[in-house]
Every structure is written in structure tokens, then in C-alpha cells.
């Protein structure tokens, strides 16, 4: 992989200590850009691919390490920056963090996207699928609508079929 210091990502916000984007306290990193534009999206300001600011992988890792929580990639849709995200995910995995990733793409779509293939083995859980307002359910853990799935990525890649995450 290329030198991570020069790899940048477009970041809207980094929120340490959140408990809604995965188990335990987590540092959620909100990446800019989303073309899904789901009706009822809780974060429409993240749709703009030019929102936020450029941050290097090393700058993001420093914020994560300062707080020490596991990590969630959100947005927007982080998958639009999948290539750059690989550099970040590698650094975070080397440091021992678990990584969750929210995406409006379905898992089977990710498996067909060459840019996301190197990223997938670095993720622990993918919350997949677009938010669908008519399927909104506030009783669901870690997702907004019933079509979205919590996918155990490592098991799914090993089995060759989708395995849901259980805590």
C-alpha cells in the first residue's frame, strides 16, 4: 500500500464515545458523499461529496487513538472512498480496533465492486442497504429500517454466503 501520510479522505465529522453505531462506545467517522439520497435520511448534509474537510489517514488514526474506542465508518456512504478507506482500515486493524461500516449498498453489490473488495476483509460488520422510510423501525438495534442487515463480514467471506452478526 502507498504511504498513508499522503492518503486523504473527505471527513465531515468524527464523534468519539457514541453508542448508537455499534456495540459499546465507538468513534464514528462520518465521511462525505452519498448518491443514495434516501428519503428520510438522518444525515442529508453528508450527501455532498465536497462537504467537510480533507484529513490524512494519520490524522484520523490520531483522533481514534486519542479516544481508544472501536470504530464505525458512516456518512454519507464510506464506500465511495473505499480505496482510501483501505489505508485507514489497515492502520486501525493493526492497532487492534474493530471496524463497523454503514453503507447504502447491499453486500452482494459490494462483492461486485472492485474498489470495495480489498476493504471488505478489513471490516468486522457491514450494515448494508439503503434506509427505506416506509420500513423505519426505531426498535431495531444499530439500523434504521428493517431491510438493513448487520453482516458478519469475516464469516460471510469465509462461508461464501451472508452470515448475520449476533452479539
Amino acid at each position: 500500500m502507498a504511504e498513508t501520510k499522503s492518503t486523504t479522505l473527505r471527513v465531515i465529522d468524527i464523534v468519539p464515545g457514541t453508542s448508537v453505531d455499534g456495540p459499546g462506545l465507538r468513534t464514528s467517522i462520518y465521511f462525505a458523499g452519498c448518491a443514495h439520497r434516501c428519503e428520510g435520511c438522518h444525515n442529508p448534509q453528508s450527501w455532498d461529496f465536497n462537504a467537510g474537510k480533507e484529513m490524512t489517514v494519520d490524522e484520523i488514526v490520531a483522533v481514534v487513538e486519542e479516544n481508544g474506542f472501536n470504530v464505525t465508518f458512516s456518512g454519507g456512504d464510506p464506500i465511495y472512498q473505499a480505496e482510501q478507506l483501505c489505508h485507514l482500515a489497515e492502520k486501525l486493524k493493526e492497532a487492534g480496533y474493530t471496524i463497523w461500516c454503514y453503507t447504502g449498498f447491499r453486500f452482494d453489490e459490494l462483492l461486485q465492486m472492485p474498489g470495495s473488495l480489498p476493504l471488505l476483509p478489513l471490516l468486522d460488520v457491514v450494515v448494508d442497504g439503503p434506509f427505506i422510510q416506509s420500513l423505519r423501525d426505531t426498535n431495531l438495534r444499530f439500523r434504521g429500517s428493517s431491510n438493513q442487515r448487520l453482516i458478519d463480514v469475516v464469516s460471510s467471506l469465509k462461508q461464501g454466503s451472508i452470515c448475520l452478526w449476533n452479539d
Side-chain angles (χ1 to χ4, degrees), residues 129-137 140 143-149:
F131 172 75
I132 298 176
Q133 181 72 32
S134 63
L135 299 176
R136 181 175 184 255
D137 185 344
L140 295 172
R143 58 198 190 279
S145 57
S146 60
N147 63 298
Q148 295 172 313
R149 302 173 293 182

Side-chain angles (χ1 to χ4, degrees), residues 47-98:
W47 296 352
D48 181 354
F49 285 88
N50 295 310
K53 64 180 180 179
E54 292 285 325
M55 291 183 73
T56 66
V57 165
D58 291 341
E59 289 171 330
I60 297 168
V61 169
V63 173
V64 170
E65 288 182 336
E66 180 181 317
N67 295 289
F69 304 123
N70 285 316
V71 177
T72 297
F73 297 158
S74 192
D77 192 326
I79 297 303
Y80 289 108
Q81 299 185 64
E83 185 179 329
Q84 301 92 320
L85 222 52
C86 281
H87 300 286
L88 175 60
E90 283 178 340
K91 284 267 209 173
L92 294 171
K93 292 308 278 188
E94 286 170 11
Y97 295 100
T98 65

Side-chain angles (χ1 to χ4, degrees), residues 23 100 124-125 141-143 149-153 155 162-167:
W100 279 42
D124 295 283
V125 173
R141 275 184 88 198
F142 310 131
R143 58 198 190 279
R149 302 173 293 182
L150 306 173
I151 296 173
D152 178 330
V153 179
S155 295
I162 291 175
C163 300
L164 298 180
W165 174 81
N166 292 306
D167 67 309

